[in-house]
Amino acid sequence: MIKKKPYDPEVKGYRASSNFLLDIAPLVLTAMILMVQFFIFKDFTPHIPLACGVLITAVFMAARGRSWEGMESRFLRVIRVGLPAIIILMGVGMLVGSWIIAGTVPTILYYGFDIFSPSSFLVSVCIICAVISIATGTSWGTIGTVGLAMMGIGTGLGLPPELTGGAIVSGAFFGDKMSPLSDTTNLTPASAGIELWDHIKGLLPTTVPALIIALGLYAWIGSGYSSDGVDMSSVQQMQQTLADNYIISLWTLLPALVVVGAAVMKFPAIPTVLIGVFVASLIAFFMQGVGVHDIFVVLQDGFVSETGVEVVDQLLTKGGVMSMTWVVTLTIFALAFVGSLEHYGTLKAIMVKLNKIIKTRFGLVGSTYGVVIGVGTIIGDVYTTLVLPGRLLKDKYKQMGFKRTTLTRSIEDCGTLLSPLIPWNMGGSFVAATLGAATLTYAPYAFVCWISPLIGLLWLVLNKFIPREEPQRVEAMENLLHPDAR
């Protein structure tokens, strides 16, 4: 008979104690520091507050007679879990830069503007922002460039800024959520331990119906506004600028088709990204006349557009490995902080409370919604909002026999999509400052962002698109409580 090894908290992390407030104190104090950073300092960079969170957790560890070494080992293991996503993000930086110099992104923009129609302005705006966000992997970049231009056109049409802002946010965040180039789309499955393409496939049942409904609503609302005399010169200028500076051809779309094809064939994400970079680099060399050394420079440092048209230059000045430094370092800090909380026992303490209500799929998915919205509302940092619930609940999904694609879909529905609707969240603050429309004014018209979570609840009630798997015994779920607290 094999003797079971005693539970070693220095290796497996500390269980929940009988003092819940003490268990969650590092999380609460770090949330307070983040709020000071966001709302008093008006600085939406959460890196240093999260680093402070690791230090605060270490102080509480020391005060309770626990060692730093165990906590360090744990958060390094958690960071290691996120390494594939970090590598993908650096590859995405190269991919975006290569797609720009190959003419892939300019071609997508050019044909995207072709579908622009003043008579269906809101629908066109939503679609264009979705296409650009999918192609570039960034909702913020889309909002800060094309989104600003669309706001000006909307004003000329006589549309209230909150309507235009809502359509922009819907399209941009839809694209961000669905793009394999997006940082949030890569980080979410990494935190829950599933593959990128499985995660994206799992997003379809809520996100696509939400977009279809949103487009119908935008068509209905937009029909009440006249398009007579609208000035289309800014859109035409952007199209002409793209045509003057790039060879616009269906061949330049080949890198995007290669990436999509690899995704359909379920190629691993990292080689898919690298193949996309290679194909785009070949097109940049042979079609756009970009030199080999210049290609290397763009892959490293990104592309700097100098067309002379500010909106186009802002949109196309991006990419490169170094452009992902902000995101990669934030990902590391967020993973380190969550790993520290795991070891300290904060996540186990929260799970003890959640286990009292998680008995069925309703409790499981409902708790996921509650945790994600709670973290996004209290902490206001998008990345922690995506990482913490994934680490907290992934074992519970396995134990109850539900695939974790439902977990990651719920995290994105309530984390990525709701972030621009919360005034003090990083997403909401950025959008409001960039578009000049208050968060609570455009939020009701950002239909995709709040309809998608509601559709998720509908599928929960109907027991549709909630895939099952064989329940798995999870040791971590059996070791939540400290013996003295049982």
Side-chain angles (χ1 to χ4, degrees):
M1 180 178 177
I2 300 175
K3 186 176 180 181
K4 187 176 181 181
K5 293 182 180 180
Y7 185 85
D8 185 355
E10 284 298 313
V11 175
K12 299 181 179 180
Y14 286 86
R15 295 164 171 161
S17 71
S18 55
N19 191 329
F20 178 70
L21 293 180
L22 187 60
D23 286 344
I24 66 170
L27 176 61
V28 173
L29 292 175
T30 304
M32 293 171 65
I33 295 175
L34 282 164
M35 290 180 183
V36 170
Q37 174 84 331
F38 293 163
F39 310 128
I40 296 180
F41 299 153
K42 306 296 182 182
D43 186 343
F44 297 99
T45 51
H47 301 61
I48 303 307
L50 291 175
C52 291
V54 175
L55 180 60
I56 289 170
T57 308
V59 170
F60 275 87
M61 288 279 294
R64 301 177 79 169
R66 303 170 180 177
S67 73
W68 162 266
E69 288 77 14
M71 190 184 87
E72 180 183 285
S73 177
R74 170 57 67 92
F75 73 63
L76 287 177
R77 288 203 302 273
V78 174
I79 291 174
R80 195 174 297 118
V81 170
L83 276 180
I86 291 172
I87 293 172
I88 291 171
L89 289 173
M90 291 189 291
V92 164
M94 292 191 291
L95 191 65
V96 171
S98 66
W99 279 20
I100 292 173
I101 59 175
T104 304
V105 172
T107 300
I108 292 172
L109 294 177
Y110 185 88
Y111 289 121
F113 288 132
D114 258 349
I115 67 173
F116 187 88
S117 169
S119 61
S120 55
F121 176 75
L122 295 176
V123 173
S124 300
V125 166
C126 185
I127 293 175
I128 289 170
C129 288
V131 169
I132 294 173
S133 192
I134 290 174
T136 60
T138 167
S139 55
W140 288 22
T142 301
I143 289 169
T145 52
V146 174
L148 277 177
M150 295 299 105
M151 288 293 286
I153 296 173
T155 300
L157 274 171
L159 285 165
E162 57 269 21
L163 277 179
T164 308
I168 292 168
V169 169
S170 283
F173 278 85
F174 167 87
D176 191 318
K177 182 182 175 187
M178 297 302 299
S179 174
L181 311 183
S182 168
D183 49 3
T184 57
T185 307
N186 280 277
L187 184 59
T188 303
S191 67
I194 68 171
E195 293 295 326
L196 171 63
W197 302 122
D198 291 337
H199 167 61
I200 293 176
K201 181 180 178 182
L203 297 176
L204 297 176
T206 59
T207 314
V208 172
L211 179 65
I212 294 171
I213 294 171
L215 292 176
L217 290 171
Y218 290 136
W220 174 64
I221 294 172
S223 64
Y225 292 88
S226 172
S227 60
D228 295 338
V230 61
D231 183 10
M232 291 288 293
S233 60
S234 59
V235 172
Q236 294 166 354
Q237 182 189 34
M238 286 188 280
Q239 272 193 306
Q240 189 59 49
T241 300
L242 293 170
D244 290 343
N245 288 272
Y246 297 91
I247 295 175
I248 304 297
S249 164
L250 293 179
W251 283 106
T252 58
L253 295 176
L254 183 60
L257 296 176
V258 167
V259 171
V260 172
V264 172
M265 292 186 290
K266 295 187 176 180
F267 270 43
I270 293 176
T272 295
V273 170
L274 295 180
I275 292 170
V277 171
F278 178 72
V279 173
S281 298
L282 289 178
I283 291 177
F285 179 78
F286 287 108
M287 288 191 65
Q288 306 291 353
V290 183
V292 173
H293 181 253
D294 290 334
I295 292 174
F296 286 179
V297 170
V298 169
L299 296 183
Q300 172 69 19
D301 298 321
F303 179 72
V304 178
S305 177
E306 297 177 341
T307 65
V309 178
E310 185 178 0
V311 174
V312 174
D313 288 339
Q314 287 180 348
L315 185 60
L316 297 182
T317 298
K318 53 170 51 76
V321 172
M322 299 308 295
S323 71
M324 306 305 293
T325 303
W326 192 93
V327 173
V328 166
T329 51
L330 179 54
T331 300
I332 292 173
F333 279 125
L335 291 170
F337 175 56
V338 172
S340 300
L341 294 179
E342 274 190 10
H343 188 74
Y344 178 71
T346 300
L347 302 193
K348 290 186 176 73
I350 296 173
M351 275 308 304
V352 168
K353 301 295 184 182
L354 291 178
N355 273 336
K356 296 178 180 179
I357 59 175
I358 300 178
K359 305 299 182 183
T360 64
R361 70 175 190 275
F362 294 100
L364 183 62
V365 177
S367 295
T368 305
Y369 271 51
V371 170
V372 177
I373 294 173
V375 174
T377 303
I378 296 171
I379 293 183
D381 165 37
V382 177
Y383 294 85
T384 306
T385 303
L386 301 178
V387 173
L388 194 151
R391 299 294 299 176
L392 175 68
L393 291 163
K394 63 185 182 69
D395 288 335
K396 191 66 177 178
Y397 274 77
K398 290 168 64 177
Q399 184 190 48
M400 294 184 66
F402 289 94
K403 288 188 176 181
R404 283 165 289 169
T405 51
T406 302
L407 167 62
T408 57
R409 182 180 72 207
S410 300
I411 291 173
E412 288 251 49
D413 280 343
C414 298
T416 303
L417 290 185
L418 291 187
S419 67
L421 309 188
I422 302 172
W424 53 88
N425 190 283
M426 288 172 61
S429 300
F430 171 82
V431 173
T434 303
L435 298 183
T439 306
L440 295 181
T441 62
Y442 70 72
Y445 304 104
F447 297 123
V448 169
C449 296
W450 56 264
I451 289 177
S452 187
L454 293 180
I455 292 176
L457 293 178
L458 175 64
W459 296 143
L460 174 64
V461 172
L462 298 177
N463 197 19
K464 300 290 185 182
F465 303 110
I466 311 288
R468 300 294 300 262
E469 63 183 1
E470 191 67 26
Q472 300 178 35
R473 176 180 173 272
V474 181
E475 184 180 1
M477 299 303 300
E478 299 170 1
N479 293 302
L480 292 176
L481 281 171
H482 187 279
D484 296 339
R486 291 184 186 276

